[in-house]
Amino acid sequence: MSFSERRATLLRILEIETNIKNIEHSKDYLIAKRDLKALENARSSGGRIVVSSPEDLNSTVEIRRNSVEVGECIARYKERMKGDSELINSLGLEKMRLKSGLLNNTTR
C-alpha cells in the first residue's frame, strides 16, 4: 500500500470517527437516549415520569410509571433512534474494515 493510499485511509477513519462523534453528541440523540433510559428504568417505582415527547423533543409528556403508555413510548423512542443507531453501526463497521486493511498491509 502506497503512502497516499495509507493517508487517504487514515483520513477516512478520522472522518468516520468525527461523524460518529457528531451523531452521538447531537442534542436530539442525547435527549432521546436520556429519556429512553429514564423510561426503561421507570418501572421500579410508582408515580409519574416527565420526558420529552418522542415525536417532538421540544415538548414534554407526563406518563404514569407502571402504565402501558411507558412501553409504547419506549417503542417510539427506539424507532426514532433506529436510523442513528444503524448509521453509527455501519460507520463503525467501515472503520473496522479500514483499520484491518491497514494492519494487514503493514505486516507484509
Side-chain angles (χ1 to χ4, degrees):
M1 181 178 272
S2 70
F3 175 78
S4 61
E5 290 172 334
R6 287 182 50 80
R7 182 176 184 275
T9 302
L10 290 170
L11 288 174
R12 178 62 185 147
I13 290 172
L14 289 174
E15 181 182 350
I16 289 169
E17 289 174 348
T18 301
N19 291 343
I20 290 172
K21 183 179 177 182
N22 288 341
I23 294 168
E24 290 177 338
H25 290 94
S26 71
K27 179 184 173 190
D28 288 348
Y29 185 82
L30 289 173
I31 290 171
K33 188 175 177 181
R34 178 199 65 205
D35 288 346
L36 177 61
K37 187 174 185 178
L39 288 169
E40 289 175 337
N41 295 329
R43 298 184 185 259
S44 61
S45 61
R48 297 187 169 274
I49 185 167
V50 178
V51 294
S52 299
S53 170
E55 289 78 27
D56 179 17
L57 296 177
N58 295 320
S59 64
T60 59
V61 293
E62 187 174 342
I63 302 172
R64 287 196 47 203
R65 290 182 189 260
N66 295 325
S67 70
V68 175
E69 293 173 333
V70 171
E72 294 169 356
C73 198
I74 287 172
R76 290 194 311 248
Y77 266 113
K78 286 183 178 180
E79 183 63 34
R80 178 185 181 94
M81 295 179 69
K82 185 179 179 181
D84 288 338
S85 297
E86 289 175 352
L87 182 56
I88 289 170
N89 289 338
S90 68
L91 288 170
L93 289 173
E94 182 183 355
K95 179 181 161 185
M96 285 187 345
R97 183 183 56 77
L98 290 170
K99 278 185 168 183
S100 68
L102 280 176
L103 290 174
N104 290 337
N105 288 322
T106 58
T107 57
R108 292 180 184 175

